[in-house]
Amino acid sequence: MVSRSFPQLLTCFNRTAVGSAGCRRFSITPPGRATPQSNTAVERVTSPWTLMAAVCLQRLPVITADCSPIEQRFKQMMQQMELEKSLLSDHELRLMEDAERMSRKQGNEYDSDEEEGHGDQEIMLAQDLEDTWEQRFKSFQPAPRVRADLDKDLTSVQRCLADSLVLLAEQQVGAEKLWLLPQAAWQEGETLRQTAERALCSVTAAGFKATFLGNAPCGVYKYKLPKAARTESSVGTKVFFFKAILADSAPGTAPNTALLWVKKSELQKYLKPAYMMKVDRFILSL
Amino acid sequence: MKQMVSATDTAYGTLNVKVSGYDMTVVEHYSQYIHNLCNRLGIQVAESYALPTKSTEVMLMQEQGNKMYVDAVLKTHERVVQLSSLNTSLCPIFVDVLLKNQPEGVQLLVKEHTEADFQTRFKARPELEGLIAQINQ
């Protein structure tokens, strides 16, 4: 897997998001990082924003999506063209040879000594092989692609196997309970990514295995507290989002928080509009 | 061999994106897609090569008897797209797009490039190894 050998700091970097308008500028200066050889006291750079990290945990699609009508027609046409342009395979050649040999056997002038050494092929004809394969195929039962009951159950991770799902948790923010991507407050001495990992662990059961895609956040959302709650040291909160992919989900009981697995189209029903706008930008609906 | 780029603070070093599967057309098309995506995103592609095909024989026990017979021969094809440096800020997006577009039946593996990986591309030379063994004896 990709190596993860980075220093704790994310240095200031500019990045133009490909395909979307505008630059994003990140600048994170964690306060109170003491220099080793300091005689003078280090000035603590305290910003009035509280930092939080959230994790955007995605479950990738398990099966391919169904083709639209045009795609189906095109697929059939391409398959027909390829079939017509293709050459006969070994198995089909054998079928033809066997049929020919059969017809020669029925005929009067048949001399088995004249046949070349195809001894074992006479025992097991290609047609017989095809019949055994046909039998085995009939006895195979594939699992159903779409299960309507599971699709409706929003808490199940097996729903909507053809789409990618995002995990939402109901967390206490300030005075109210909101649906949002699982988040946790940043603490001194840890990277934002570790904060995101902690957020995931606190919200899900112990057996969840998620692979984080990198140390760089993929989005940010900031909000200012209402004027009444603002103080000198806290003007608002900045939430940084990290992407992760679900590797393994344990069917364990979730602790206190309620969890939902939603598709991108269903996110709007649960998230606040301003939050939704920022989150919408980095969730790919492919 | 080409110089291996080492990782810096803001970029990964030489990375190998390995695409493997049983269906050759799908594997090749997916590796072409990755190569084109890197070109469009401005990621430097050092090399794009294929590893030798590996054949796997699936043997089944006969219903009556102890003999195993060959049921099928599966061929595993592997294609590698080597990236010389990947910006860490671009990495999550790039990997996310790759994973979301991964076709069925294809395995994707992203790992660092090592000397050993480079050596697996060469064929073994038995006469040379025999001579070397003779010299060493």
Side-chain angles (χ1 to χ4, degrees):
Chain A
M1 287 305 290
V2 177
S3 75
R4 314 198 190 278
S5 54
F6 286 106
Q8 299 251 335
L9 273 179
L10 284 176
T11 51
C12 175
F13 62 100
N14 296 342
R15 194 184 115 242
T16 38
V18 174
S20 66
C23 297
R24 278 200 211 124
R25 279 209 184 80
F26 287 102
S27 154
I28 306 166
T29 43
R33 184 167 169 88
T35 50
Q37 70 280 26
S38 62
N39 291 329
T40 57
V42 172
E43 283 195 25
R44 292 183 69 92
V45 179
T46 44
S47 84
W49 298 89
T50 37
L51 295 179
M52 303 188 82
V55 62
C56 170
L57 182 66
Q58 297 176 85
R59 187 220 71 188
L60 295 175
V62 177
I63 57 175
T64 48
D66 288 329
C67 299
S68 65
I70 286 192
E71 283 176 347
Q72 264 174 349
R73 282 168 53 195
F74 184 70
K75 193 164 95 164
Q76 274 172 349
M77 189 184 84
M78 288 306 293
Q79 278 179 346
Q80 181 80 12
M81 280 176 66
E82 280 180 19
L83 183 68
E84 287 170 9
K85 280 192 195 167
S86 68
L87 303 170
L88 292 171
S89 71
D90 287 341
H91 176 73
E92 285 170 327
L93 285 173
R94 258 190 78 183
L95 272 177
M96 280 171 47
E97 273 176 16
D98 287 347
E100 202 190 332
R101 211 183 312 135
M102 275 283 118
S103 64
R104 267 188 286 145
K105 259 193 191 164
Q106 311 314 2
N108 293 330
E109 304 124 17
Y110 176 70
D111 191 357
S112 63
D113 295 336
E114 275 182 1
E115 299 286 328
E116 289 136 25
H118 288 300
D120 52 341
Q121 283 188 1
E122 298 210 359
I123 304 171
M124 187 66 145
L125 289 181
Q127 190 63 45
D128 296 339
L129 275 178
E130 227 183 89
D131 290 336
T132 40
W133 294 335
E134 200 61 51
Q135 285 293 323
R136 280 229 294 248
F137 180 61
K138 285 210 180 88
S139 62
F140 173 71
Q141 296 294 338
R145 279 172 65 98
V146 173
R147 288 184 50 184
D149 54 340
L150 268 189
D151 277 358
K152 294 213 187 74
D153 179 18
L154 285 162
T155 55
S156 155
V157 80
Q158 312 278 352
R159 69 182 289 249
C160 294
L161 291 177
D163 298 304
S164 48
L165 303 174
V166 178
L167 180 70
L168 279 189
E170 192 170 27
Q171 286 183 317
Q172 190 90 22
V173 170
E176 45 182 322
K177 275 196 152 228
L178 293 175
W179 282 108
L180 31 70
L181 301 178
Q183 65 188 30
W186 176 78
Q187 284 159 2
E188 291 260 348
E190 63 172 4
T191 62
L192 275 177
R193 180 177 147 165
Q194 282 168 350
T195 315
E197 283 167 0
R198 203 161 43 87
L200 186 61
C201 290
S202 68
V203 164
T204 63
F208 259 68
K209 287 211 185 58
T211 315
F212 276 78
L213 288 180
N215 286 350
C218 53
V220 67
Y221 172 68
K222 68 179 189 199
Y223 66 86
K224 291 193 175 169
L225 297 171
K227 286 220 162 74
R230 269 186 233 181
T231 63
E232 275 297 323
S233 62
S234 69
V235 168
T237 311
K238 284 186 181 170
V239 188
F240 292 94
F241 299 100
F242 286 82
K243 271 196 185 163
I245 301 285
L246 184 69
D248 190 18
S249 70
T253 53
N256 331 330
T257 46
L259 295 178
L260 282 191
W261 289 97
V262 290
K263 299 191 271 198
K264 186 169 180 189
S265 45
E266 294 165 355
L267 272 181
Q268 200 156 20
K269 286 192 287 194
Y270 293 94
L271 299 181
K272 291 258 169 94
Y275 191 80
M276 170 77 187
M277 248 176 45
K278 294 290 168 132
V279 166
D280 206 43
R281 297 180 72 185
F282 61 78
I283 297 187
L284 302 170
S285 60
L286 290 174
Chain B
M1 70 168 218
K2 264 197 192 165
Q3 278 301 337
M4 294 206 297
V5 180
S6 56
T8 67
D9 277 352
T10 48
Y12 291 99
T14 312
L15 288 180
N16 276 358
V17 178
K18 278 197 192 165
V19 180
S20 57
Y22 295 130
D23 191 357
M24 183 167 79
T25 45
V26 180
V27 167
E28 284 198 335
H29 275 265
Y30 187 51
S31 69
Q32 281 173 15
Y33 168 76
I34 297 176
H35 202 320
N36 284 328
L37 184 70
C38 293
N39 289 346
R40 264 188 304 156
L41 292 180
I43 304 173
Q44 194 93 24
V45 173
E47 281 178 56
S48 173
Y49 54 85
L51 292 177
T53 314
K54 300 191 179 83
S55 286
T56 317
E57 274 189 351
V58 175
M59 312 200 84
L60 282 183
M61 290 285 290
Q62 270 182 344
E63 273 112 45
Q64 297 97 22
N66 286 331
K67 214 170 65 145
M68 302 242 271
Y69 68 95
V70 176
D71 189 38
V73 174
L74 297 171
K75 295 204 184 128
T76 309
H77 307 268
E78 233 182 273
R79 301 283 179 274
V80 176
V81 179
Q82 194 171 83
L83 314 172
S84 60
S85 85
L86 178 63
N87 220 352
T88 46
S89 49
L90 195 52
C91 171
I93 303 169
F94 177 64
V95 174
D96 200 26
V97 171
L98 285 192
L99 286 172
K100 293 246 163 84
N101 281 315
Q102 192 177 351
E104 40 185 12
V106 163
Q107 283 92 43
L108 179 71
L109 171 66
V110 179
K111 59 192 277 283
E112 285 181 321
H113 184 60
T114 58
E115 183 74 37
D117 283 333
F118 180 67
Q119 294 297 336
T120 48
R121 291 179 71 185
F122 296 108
K123 281 165 79 160
R125 287 196 279 182
E127 326 91 19
L128 187 64
E129 282 159 19
L131 288 174
I132 292 177
Q134 274 185 3
I135 295 173
N136 286 342
Q137 269 171 2

